[in-house]
Amino acid sequence: MRPSQGRIYKRFIKRPMDFILSLTAIIVLSPVLFIVAILVRLKLGSPVLFKQQRPGLNEKVFMMYKFRTMTDEKDENGNFLPDSVRLTKFGKFLRSTSLDELPGLFNILKGDMTIIGPRPLLVQYLPLYNYHQKRRHEVRPGLSGLAQVSGRNAICWEEKFNKDVEYVDNVSFIGDWKIILLTLKKVFVREGINSETAATMEFFRGTKKE
């Protein structure tokens, strides 16, 4: 796709496509959403949804929704236990199948997110990004993205950010659909769910300067 075509897609086609696909998915998957919500309530308790503020397009903060995957277990000082302890077998199943991400369809419907784009990360990371890494916020954050189909949590932060910026510079209709199909494949084979050093993904602490 030529640069001009990419701009047309990004400006006039991507958002309507997101709206139609997310609305269709919510309707079709409503029984799955209902069943998962009940199971989360029974196995992990309330609240069923995990809600957290995340930076979106141009670093504008929005409330992101996911199904809860961890317990609220705390130590004697009232601090949460490590993720590896609070992440139950059921929670791992939700993450490995990406069922925990389904409420994000409502974020897409609202326009806070897109189907394909850089994943929305923690607000506390914003001051830690260098100029190159901050460019990931030039587009809406996605339910899946180039970094996710290139290794998900199994690749380091710098590689993720490079993939995010590569996506920003090459947004296209064909590219998005390739990532959608690769995402379905990744979910099916449950590849790259965890990093090599943590139950989920270790915190980003800034890029080390050479």
Side-chain angles (χ1 to χ4, degrees):
M1 183 178 284
R2 295 191 297 272
S4 60
Q5 291 176 316
R7 286 193 292 271
I8 291 171
Y9 168 67
K10 191 161 56 172
R11 185 172 181 180
F12 299 109
I13 301 173
K14 188 172 171 66
R15 174 58 193 152
M17 185 178 79
D18 282 339
F19 183 86
I20 292 168
L21 291 179
S22 61
L23 180 60
T24 302
I26 289 169
I27 294 170
V28 172
L29 297 174
S30 56
V32 178
L33 285 159
F34 180 68
I35 291 170
V36 173
I38 291 175
L39 290 174
V40 170
R41 179 67 179 84
L42 293 174
K43 292 179 176 292
L44 298 175
S46 183
V48 168
L49 290 180
F50 170 77
K51 296 186 288 185
Q52 190 175 60
Q53 289 189 325
R54 297 287 176 96
L57 178 64
N58 299 322
E59 300 183 5
K60 181 181 179 181
V61 175
F62 68 97
M63 188 66 72
M64 186 191 74
Y65 308 114
K66 297 175 70 172
F67 278 123
R68 178 181 182 177
T69 58
M70 293 188 186
T71 65
D72 285 333
E73 294 176 89
K74 298 179 181 179
D75 60 22
E76 62 274 10
N77 298 317
N79 299 313
F80 283 116
L81 294 177
D83 289 355
S84 57
V85 176
R86 297 191 297 122
L87 186 59
T88 65
K89 186 176 181 180
F90 175 66
K92 289 178 182 177
F93 169 76
L94 291 181
R95 290 192 178 201
S96 67
T97 56
S98 293
L99 288 171
D100 64 316
E101 301 282 359
L102 289 181
L105 291 168
F106 291 96
N107 285 123
I108 297 172
L109 198 66
K110 289 171 58 183
D112 294 325
M113 291 176 62
T114 179
I115 293 173
I116 301 300
R119 285 289 296 164
L121 301 176
L122 300 177
V123 173
Q124 67 202 64
Y125 292 168
L126 288 175
L128 303 178
Y129 297 138
N130 59 34
Y131 174 77
H132 176 73
Q133 294 162 351
K134 287 172 83 69
R135 292 198 58 221
R136 69 192 311 278
H137 296 291
E138 291 177 11
V139 297
R140 285 187 179 88
L143 203 61
S144 182
L146 184 59
Q148 281 59 53
V149 299
S150 301
R152 207 169 176 179
N153 285 342
I155 61 175
C156 71
W157 281 114
E158 282 70 24
E159 290 177 273
K160 280 187 175 186
F161 295 141
N162 287 338
K163 290 294 181 182
D164 289 341
V165 176
E166 181 183 336
Y167 174 80
V168 169
D169 289 335
N170 297 281
V171 178
S172 71
F173 177 82
I174 293 174
D176 276 5
W177 276 100
K178 283 182 178 178
I179 294 172
I180 289 171
L181 294 175
L182 284 170
T183 298
L184 294 174
K185 178 187 173 184
K186 288 277 183 182
V187 170
F188 182 75
V189 298
R190 303 189 192 183
E191 222 173 45
I193 306 303
N194 299 326
S195 72
E196 295 180 354
T197 57
T200 51
M201 184 68 189
E202 55 274 349
F203 281 98
F204 175 60
R205 304 185 188 282
T207 300
K208 293 181 181 179
K209 296 181 179 179
E210 299 294 336

